């Protein structure tokens, strides 16, 4: 349970970075929501990696190996999130609500895999 609470704490910070970039790209740069979602996810993933490596899992293993594993899962999570946002927006859901849905679904997927594979 301690890991899950720490993971959620790091996730709040990483998600804030993700959402700030998403909103800026959609509202200011007029990007499509699915593309802005991927961009925000990529930036948020870097924040999440650092926080999860040192705070959540206190991982002291091989840095390049854990970074690569985390990035692969982040890429899969970003692709899944982008697909969810694209589909939801296509179905006329507001892009931020679509992103909230994507965030919740992707978080369960990435937490489990990061715990058992990236930072084991």
């Amino acid at each position: 349970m301690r890991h899950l609470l720490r993971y959620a704490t790091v996730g709040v910070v990483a998600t804030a970075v993700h959402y700030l970039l998403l909103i800026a790209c959609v509202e200011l740069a007029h990007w499509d929501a699915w593309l802005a979602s991927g961009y925000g996810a990529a930036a948020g993933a870097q924040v999440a990696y650092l926080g999860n490596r040192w705070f959540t899992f206190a991982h002291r293993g091989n840095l390049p190996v854990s970074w690569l594993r985390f990035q692969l899962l982040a890429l899969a999570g970003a692709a899944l999130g982008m697909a969810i946002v694209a589909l939801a927006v296509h179905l006329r859901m507001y892009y931020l609500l679509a992103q909230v849905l994507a965030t919740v679904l992707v978080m369960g997927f990435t937490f489990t895999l990061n715990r058992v594979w990236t930072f084991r």
Side-chain angles (χ1 to χ4, degrees), residues 54-65:
W54 286 295
F55 178 67
T56 304
F57 301 110
H59 185 258
R60 300 295 178 248
N62 188 310
L63 179 69
V65 170

Side-chain angles (χ1 to χ4, degrees), residues 39-83:
Y39 181 68
Q46 304 321 302
V47 172
Y49 173 76
L50 294 173
N52 285 315
R53 176 173 170 88
W54 286 295
F55 178 67
T56 304
F57 301 110
H59 185 258
R60 300 295 178 248
N62 188 310
L63 179 69
V65 170
S66 67
W67 184 86
L68 181 59
R69 287 178 177 179
F70 189 89
Q71 297 309 314
L72 289 171
L73 289 179
L75 180 60
L80 178 59
M82 291 168 73

Side-chain angles (χ1 to χ4, degrees), residues 61-103:
N62 188 310
L63 179 69
V65 170
S66 67
W67 184 86
L68 181 59
R69 287 178 177 179
F70 189 89
Q71 297 309 314
L72 289 171
L73 289 179
L75 180 60
L80 178 59
M82 291 168 73
I84 292 167
V85 169
L87 177 61
V89 168
H90 178 74
L91 296 173
R92 305 283 187 228
M93 183 183 285
Y94 182 59
Y95 80 95
L96 284 176
L97 185 57
Q99 185 59 61
V100 168
L101 174 64
T103 299

